[in-house]
Amino acid sequence: MRDLSPDFAAHLKSGATTLCSCWVSQPRLGAALGFTDHDVDIAFDGVAFEASSGFTASGLDQSLGLAIDNAAAQGALISDRITEEDIRRGRFDGADILSWMVNWTDPAQRVLMFRGELGDIRRGETAFEVELRGLSERLNRPAGRNYLPTCDAALGD
């Protein structure tokens, strides 16, 4: 269960909400990039979330336990801060990503909905789609080497 501030909980119960999605990507190199689906720029936590960036986010599949949370974001390359060259060179591969539901009239009223990293990026002629991988995805990656009773190396390896 998410921990909501009393003001944000009251806003959600009011029936007339002013909500938007904000997400920030932190590439391995470079500054954090913030985006929102609202029509006006929003800022909080020292990050400016760019409006009209051409991004849309799909519903997030979340589950209990160690099941992997996955989602996708689609967009046209409208933002000047993301270039096709950056994508091709892998600048955003494995970048950390956070997504919030925000009351755009008072950005202090927000809740973190997703934390993970960017996965595969697929480009089309006018748009792209990026996979969003939850934190539990890291548990599926092989790490280290297996030690077996017999040697797994062949002569010359």
Side-chain angles (χ1 to χ4, degrees), residues 9-121:
H11 177 73
L12 293 174
K13 289 179 184 177
S14 71
T17 61
T18 52
L19 300 176
C20 66
S21 295
C22 292
W23 48 97
V24 64
S25 173
Q26 178 62 60
R28 302 283 180 232
L29 298 172
L33 302 175
F35 302 97
T36 181
D37 57 6
H38 188 47
D39 57 354
V40 177
D41 291 352
I42 297 173
F44 59 86
D45 289 348
V47 177
F49 295 85
E50 179 182 341
S52 304
S53 58
F55 283 95
T56 59
S58 73
L60 181 64
D61 298 327
Q62 290 186 312
S63 55
L64 295 173
L66 296 177
I68 298 170
D69 296 334
N70 289 319
Q74 298 85 27
L77 291 173
I78 295 173
S79 175
D80 294 336
R81 299 185 298 167
I82 297 178
T83 66
E84 189 169 340
E85 184 67 19
D86 287 337
I87 294 170
R88 187 176 22 257
R89 289 183 180 212
R91 177 178 175 214
F92 299 101
D93 292 352
D96 292 331
I97 189 151
L98 298 135
S99 176
W100 291 272
M101 180 173 52
V102 180
N103 176 356
W104 53 264
T105 59
D106 182 5
Q109 295 179 12
R110 62 182 179 271
V111 63
L112 183 64
M113 300 298 291
F114 179 80
R115 176 180 217 126
E117 64 185 31
L118 296 179
D120 296 331
I121 300 175

